[in-house]
Amino acid sequence: MRVGARVTGQRGRPGPADAVVLVGSGKGGVGKTTVALNIAVALAQQGRRVGLLDADVTAPDIPLMTGLVRRAPARSWTLSRVGGVQATPLQPVERFGVRLMSSGFLIGENQALAWMADLTELALTQLLWSSAWGELDFLFIDLPPGTADTTQAVLRLLPDATALAVVTAEDAAHADTRKLLTLYASTGIRVLGGVENMSMFVCPCCGTATELFRPVAPERSIWGSGVPRLGTVPLEPRPADAGLLPIVLATPGSAAGVALLAIADAVRVAATEPPPPGPAEPRGPAEPRPG
């Protein structure tokens, strides 16, 4: 399936997929990786060719969530290869029908990657461009929280990508994610919409839904900024026999499973629609001012 013109990368190089979706949040702990993985798996189950890149180079979670943890520490990481990308590409690992790439496949689970920003960006560039993705309809990129170096590096590498915002129903998550939306706007990244994760707790015995957070004032929410709400995912107990299966495979008929499947469809439609007309020349990210 072809979903449209292929995304272009930095300096006009061909992108890794027809549609690249950055899954991000201004705040950690909102379940961003869970949402990214389940959307990717849901689309793969529909027959789409899907990749998922774990862009949190120093704290990768995709290996743990897919049962592909590397125990042995790496002795080294070669960031420059003789002959270039084509000579010795990195091989993504396929799981649940999704092609996965993460720094967690190259270093041990307990191994610290204490690199400065420039080396981290170089590693991220290698994971993105040196991986043998093959033909992809969608590539989802699981960003680290916030607006720091790694997120800015991804925006430079993939200026034509789109974005999906993930929040919980609390003021801090919306406030921090509004900062991320400001960064997206300044770099011309189109936001497809947002997902509210862990919005409420659904009792497994009686089905009663309980709000977990105090409601966010509309004017302080990302919805008040015009971000389309693509779906709301409740928090549910996970069956003991579900193992490491994503929700859309383990319990697709649950409230969370149904919500995530619907969100995956909404993302698929939004990511393949032509972008609305906008400013011709978006401004770059704010530069720090000397004190």
Side-chain angles (χ1 to χ4, degrees):
M1 181 203 74
R2 303 294 291 180
V3 296
R6 181 164 286 257
V7 168
T8 55
Q10 191 179 38
R11 300 184 182 90
R13 70 190 301 178
D18 290 339
V20 177
V21 181
L22 314 178
V23 183
S25 179
K27 183 173 175 57
V30 300
K32 170 179 50 57
T33 303
T34 298
V35 171
L37 177 62
N38 276 274
I39 292 174
V41 171
L43 292 180
Q45 295 300 302
Q46 296 177 7
R48 320 291 180 184
R49 299 168 298 182
V50 184
L52 175 58
L53 172 62
D54 188 347
D56 198 341
V57 177
T58 59
D61 289 327
I62 290 295
L64 177 63
M65 296 184 67
T66 55
L68 297 170
V69 172
R70 171 175 170 153
R71 305 295 182 188
R75 294 184 178 180
S76 63
W77 183 336
T78 304
L79 293 174
S80 179
R81 297 169 182 266
V82 176
V85 175
Q86 293 77 14
T88 52
L90 299 175
Q91 295 298 325
V93 181
E94 186 163 324
R95 184 76 156 158
F96 311 124
V98 178
R99 302 167 203 175
L100 307 171
M101 180 50 67
S102 170
S103 65
F105 298 153
L106 305 177
I107 61 174
E109 182 183 24
N110 297 324
Q111 191 170 7
L113 198 61
W115 285 354
M116 301 296 288
D118 53 349
L119 284 180
T120 300
E121 181 172 348
L122 189 57
L124 178 62
T125 302
Q126 184 185 52
L127 294 176
L128 176 62
W129 296 114
S130 297
S131 295
W133 294 109
E135 289 292 320
L136 291 179
D137 298 319
F138 297 92
L139 176 63
F140 292 91
I141 299 185
D142 182 27
L143 296 175
T147 60
D149 302 313
T150 302
T151 297
Q152 293 181 38
V154 172
L155 300 186
R156 288 191 295 271
L157 292 169
L158 293 166
D160 291 338
T162 58
L164 177 70
V166 181
V167 295
T168 50
E170 56 179 328
D171 189 79
H174 282 261
D176 290 344
T177 302
R178 290 200 310 272
K179 299 180 177 68
L180 181 61
L181 295 176
T182 300
L183 176 63
Y184 287 156
S186 72
T187 54
I189 296 293
R190 179 165 66 100
V191 178
L192 304 177
V195 174
E196 186 176 86
N197 193 33
M198 298 182 284
S199 58
M200 61 188 71
F201 174 75
V202 178
C203 176
C205 299
C206 64
T208 300
T210 303
E211 299 289 342
L212 297 174
F213 306 101
R214 185 170 60 184
V216 180
E219 66 275 11
R220 291 188 55 80
S221 73
I222 64 171
W223 324 123
S225 302
V227 175
R229 190 196 298 251
L230 299 186
T232 299
V233 184
L235 180 65
E236 297 177 309
R238 186 174 179 85
D241 60 354
L244 290 172
L245 283 176
I247 296 169
V248 295
L249 294 181
T251 55
S254 65
V258 169
L260 286 164
L261 289 170
I263 290 166
D265 280 334
V267 170
R268 173 182 55 80
V269 171
T272 56
E273 288 179 341
E281 292 292 335
R283 294 177 293 111
E287 296 291 339
R289 295 183 178 180

